[in-house]
Amino acid sequence: MRNNSLWLKVLLVLITYHLSLITVFAQKREMRGAWIQCVNGQFQGLGKEKMQQTLTYQLDELQKDGVNVIIFQVRPECDALYESKLEPWSRFLTGKQGQAPSPYWDPLQWMIEQCHKRGMELHAWINPYRAKTKTTKQLASNHIAVRKPMNCFSYDDLFILNPGIAENRDFICEVAKDIVSRYDVDGIHMDDYFYPYPVKGETISDEEQFRQFNNGIKDINDWRRYNVNLFIEQFYKTVHETKPWVKVGISPFGIYRNKKSSPIGSETNGTQNYDDLYADILLWVNNGWLDYNVPQIYWEIGNKAADYETLIKWWSQHASGRPLVIGEDVERTVKYPDPQNANSHQLPAKMRLHRQLPAVKGTVLWYAKAAVDNVGNYGTALRNNYWRYPALQPSMPFISDKAPKKVTKVKPIWTSDGYVLFWTAPKGKDWQDEAVKYVVYRFAAGEKVDINDPSKIVAITAATYCKLPYNDGKQKYTYVVSALNRLQNESKVVKKKIKL
């Protein structure tokens, strides 16, 4: 009995310690994203009903895991998983480029509605320059590579819109403006495909454009970077001039430069954004041409060529002028053991690094289905531990730091559906002070009201009410309600004491 009692005390101490770690690790503001790609063919030819069933299941599971942003691929090769007058329907949706879905539906619009219903943001993911993937054999008659073949170059069985042609930059920005103006997206997202990844024996056919449009730049590599820089600046301004609150996110390859190429490079040895892809991500961050940065640090801790710990610290040091969000490979994380604990995979160690680096403002999972399939119990760890409590999006005062006014008329009322807390939305003049969501917190009697503690959040909702868990009316609680605008800037709070 004494031994049992001792073990019980030890167990209680461990449980208490574990729960305290969850609270310490919990972040009130954190981007918790997941990429849902179409280019792998997972939706091709499924049809409306089956694809909606698949996506519904994925969204439900991701919601349980704590995900609050879905990055949904809608333009893999100058095509569209949405209704577009500029580009053809994607073969990754219907099986044939240019063929509309039958029965007809709009996947982007449907995903926006489904994500918003679950309290998630939807960021439309486009691949800017890629015009044809390797596996695509036939292009639609209205595809840009068919209409304007001279605007593209071929490379390793790909077609790429030539970044050196200004008309291509204008066209991609026109596509982005079309999406942002017609759809209620929360963000627009580009991945790492600018100039193509280098392949031995392949050359980029852009010497003619370099001679015509070099703008006095003597080195073709500098000129290629210049082209992409012009595009990124134009793209950012286009999106924000259309809708100021729509966030622009970019997900570059995980290595900016290796130390052997530049004194500010990382202690790595791999493909480089700056030298090989002509993507000067640090310039974009420092010039404010993006709103969040998601480097794809897909390697494991201890990788000889690209060590995860080295890279997350490098990005934290060099690219934190904008919210830094880490692109994580779910499968690789659970494949490799923790170097400090052979009995565990690397998720705990990686999460500790996240929490130790204040510049890190979240995670995006590559890819959504791996988390949904719960490989290595990754999803279970998120929902039960790291993402157990709700989180708001990282603040972006460089867009706007204005918040709505506080809610009014906070009052609990008995209804046919039980005891419900109601409030009235504040009045707003424009998007900056218009309330679109609300945060509801709950504190026990005598407990300090601390809205920075995410464990006290009971709801983040678009509704102006919250159902209360009434018991016997003897327990006292303080409920706190605040309003959020489209950037999730938070108003002052209103408190209400309630007996449940």
Side-chain angles (χ1 to χ4, degrees), residues 30-167:
E30 184 174 44
M31 183 173 175
R32 301 170 177 177
W35 281 293
I36 297 182
Q37 82 275 42
C38 69
V39 76
N40 65 343
Q42 65 172 319
F43 305 125
Q44 187 169 314
L46 278 186
K48 176 181 178 180
E49 183 177 354
K50 185 64 176 177
M51 183 171 169
Q52 288 185 356
Q53 287 176 355
T54 302
L55 285 168
T56 295
Y57 175 72
Q58 290 186 5
L59 292 177
D60 286 345
E61 292 302 300
L62 292 168
Q63 182 183 22
K64 293 172 188 174
D65 290 344
V67 168
N68 59 18
V69 174
I70 297 296
I71 301 175
F72 182 55
Q73 189 175 29
V74 299
R75 186 185 185 262
E77 50 178 3
C78 294
D79 53 359
L81 272 80
Y82 60 95
E83 183 177 326
S84 173
K85 294 180 180 179
L86 300 174
E87 297 183 306
W89 283 100
S90 175
R91 77 172 180 89
F92 293 108
L93 176 64
T94 65
K96 181 180 179 181
Q97 191 177 90
Q99 180 176 298
S102 180
Y104 184 86
W105 70 299
D106 186 323
L108 175 56
Q109 181 58 39
W110 186 85
M111 281 291 286
I112 291 168
E113 293 166 0
Q114 293 298 312
C115 289
H116 288 177
K117 184 170 72 174
R118 291 169 175 81
M120 298 171 168
E121 288 192 351
L122 188 286
H123 293 207
W125 164 16
I126 71 170
N127 301 80
Y129 285 108
R130 186 173 62 199
K132 185 187 82 68
T133 62
K134 290 185 180 183
T135 56
T136 297
K137 304 303 180 186
Q138 184 177 3
L139 297 175
S141 59
N142 63 331
H143 189 275
I144 190 168
V146 175
R147 292 188 293 108
K148 298 189 176 183
M150 300 305 293
N151 282 22
C152 304
F153 60 77
S154 61
Y155 187 94
D156 191 34
D157 292 331
L158 304 169
F159 286 170
I160 307 293
L161 290 181
N162 192 333
I165 298 176
E167 184 181 5

Side-chain angles (χ1 to χ4, degrees), residues 218-234:
K218 296 181 179 180
D219 184 276
I220 195 169
N221 298 316
D222 290 336
W223 175 72
R224 288 170 181 165
R225 277 184 286 273
Y226 171 74
N227 294 332
V228 181
N229 293 340
L230 285 177
F231 164 65
I232 295 297
E233 181 181 17
Q234 181 181 351

